Amino acid sequence: MRRTALVGATSVLFLGLAGVVSVSAVSQAAGPDATDSTTLNFDVQFSPFTIIEANNVRDPNSPIALGDENVFHDLLFQKGKQVGDDVGSCVIVAVTPEVLGNCSAVFRLPDGNVSAQFATGPGPAPKPLTLTGGTGAYSDIGGEGTLVEFGSTQGSDRGTLTLHVLHFKTKGGKG
């Protein structure tokens, strides 16, 4: 009886260990390996603030309501020359205790597009971005970025965008 329990426990341990080794081998073989990184810096000229009123139930004392959408088309510059633009929208998902939007954007650059998602609220606080994919030279990317609005000190329609782009390759060198 002791021998049966020992054989059973050993079998369970062995199968569990084999499962862990298999999962580890598969995730290492299939997973991406960060091989290169690039930092892209832009000056941003923001488009006028544009809200699309999507919610018919409105508080007369508030300019926004749940479900309203802020749409934008901004210009991207490097060394004073326009090098691209961005398009996107932010859906208002909360108005109290603070205004909060769920945003997506596409940055159109000469070598391809970069897509991003972020949560945002009003004000000049830096807005962290998650880079979710791309096209062209950016088809193998991930990473993060930061959008900074200058506010009234340098003009409310100016800001900076920094994208920390990670290029991925599979372990086999194909990417």
Side-chain angles (χ1 to χ4, degrees):
M1 176 127 168
R2 283 171 102 195
R3 182 180 166 150
T4 304
L6 183 60
V7 169
T10 303
S11 297
V12 168
L13 179 63
F14 176 74
L15 290 174
L17 183 58
V20 168
V21 170
S22 297
V23 168
S24 176
V26 167
S27 58
Q28 285 182 7
D33 180 25
T35 59
D36 188 22
S37 67
T38 306
T39 300
L40 304 172
N41 294 297
F42 303 97
D43 293 317
V44 181
Q45 181 179 342
F46 296 111
S47 60
F49 187 73
T50 306
I51 289 285
I52 297 173
E53 295 180 355
N55 186 344
N56 292 331
V57 179
R58 308 198 69 78
D59 176 350
N61 299 320
S62 177
I64 59 171
L66 287 177
D68 284 356
E69 197 165 356
N70 175 21
V71 294
F72 54 90
H73 177 212
D74 307 323
L75 303 179
L76 304 176
F77 294 86
Q78 288 178 327
K79 298 179 183 173
K81 179 183 175 203
Q82 184 183 348
V83 295
D85 63 355
D86 67 47
V87 295
S89 62
C90 300
V91 176
I92 305 300
V93 297
V95 291
T96 59
E98 65 178 324
V99 175
L100 184 62
N102 178 12
C103 306
S104 63
V106 175
F107 303 98
R108 301 187 316 165
L109 305 170
D111 295 332
N113 296 341
V114 174
S115 60
Q117 292 182 304
F118 57 104
T120 189
K127 289 146 178 58
L129 313 172
T130 301
L131 305 184
T132 56
T135 65
Y138 308 108
S139 64
D140 62 348
I141 65 115
E144 61 186 8
T146 305
L147 178 64
V148 178
E149 299 173 271
F150 287 136
S152 60
T153 57
Q154 296 185 10
S156 60
D157 67 338
R158 304 282 181 205
T160 60
L161 172 69
T162 303
L163 303 178
H164 301 287
V165 178
L166 300 176
H167 294 272
F168 293 108
K169 270 189 178 174
T170 58
K171 289 276 186 183
K174 298 176 183 171

